[in-house]
Each structure stands twice: as C-alpha cells, then as structure tokens.
Amino acid sequence: MEDDIQGREPEEAIMNTKKRLWTREEDEILEEHVRNEGEKNWHKVPMRYDLPRRSGRSCRLRWVNQLKQDLNKEAFTENEDKIITALQELLGNEWSLAGKK
C-alpha cells in the first residue's frame, strides 16, 4: 500500500506498529519541529524526520501531554476540582460543551 497524497503513512501500517517508549532523540525531534513549524503540521513529522513508527497524531499527543513547556503537571486545586465536578453534573460526558460560551 502506498502513502497517500499528503505524505501520511497508511492507517493500517500505523495500526500494525507496536507501542514503544519515546526516546530522548525523538523528543528532541519534536522540540525541533515546534521551533521550526510551531504546534501545527504534525502529520509531516514522521516522514520529514524519519520516524516511521510514529504517527502525526502520536507526535502531537506526546508534545501536548508530555513535552510542552507550559504544561501544568500539578494536581488540581480544590477550586478546580469543584468546577470539574459541577461541569460533570451539568454536562455529563459532553466535555466539548465546557469551553463554549
């Protein structure tokens, strides 16, 4: 199966790869990508930087959930817990509505 027009790996090829831990070198590649491109064009990362076992989605998630400089890894405050609980009671599992005005 060939890569599609946008240069992404075929979905089934990505799904057939085994999960593995990220290396420091891969993290540095993601940092370089963000310096050069900003937080966009994640689908280009695997092919541009020769990361055949990573998808653009996994690169974006690694950045957003682990590497991003301003990521707050502290526990929720008591006030934040109250807000989350209130929103859960109000919206149920419709979390996409929480940020809408």
Side-chain angles (χ1 to χ4, degrees), residues 22 26-34 45 59 62 67:
W22 284 80
E26 289 174 317
D27 288 347
E28 289 170 358
I29 287 170
L30 295 182
E31 291 166 356
E32 178 183 343
H33 172 76
V34 171
V45 175
C59 292
R62 175 70 175 171
L67 302 175

Side-chain angles (χ1 to χ4, degrees), residues 37-55:
E37 298 268 342
E39 293 183 40
K40 58 184 181 180
N41 298 324
W42 292 106
H43 65 278
K44 295 179 179 179
V45 175
M47 291 193 66
R48 181 176 287 168
Y49 298 99
D50 193 29
L51 297 175
R53 296 189 53 164
R54 302 292 184 193
S55 67

Side-chain angles (χ1 to χ4, degrees), residues 1-37:
M1 188 175 231
E2 296 180 18
D3 291 353
D4 69 18
I5 291 174
Q6 295 178 5
R8 300 178 189 173
E9 281 194 64
E11 195 171 319
E12 75 178 45
I14 293 169
M15 291 172 56
N16 289 332
T17 60
K18 293 183 179 180
K19 292 183 180 180
R20 61 186 177 86
L21 296 176
W22 284 80
T23 65
R24 182 65 213 144
E25 291 79 19
E26 289 174 317
D27 288 347
E28 289 170 358
I29 287 170
L30 295 182
E31 291 166 356
E32 178 183 343
H33 172 76
V34 171
R35 277 193 304 275
N36 295 335
E37 298 268 342

Side-chain angles (χ1 to χ4, degrees), residues 27 31 44 52-53 65 72 75 80 83 89 95:
D27 288 347
E31 291 166 356
K44 295 179 179 179
R53 296 189 53 164
N65 294 325
N72 181 355
E80 289 169 330
I83 292 169
E89 289 173 4
W95 286 101

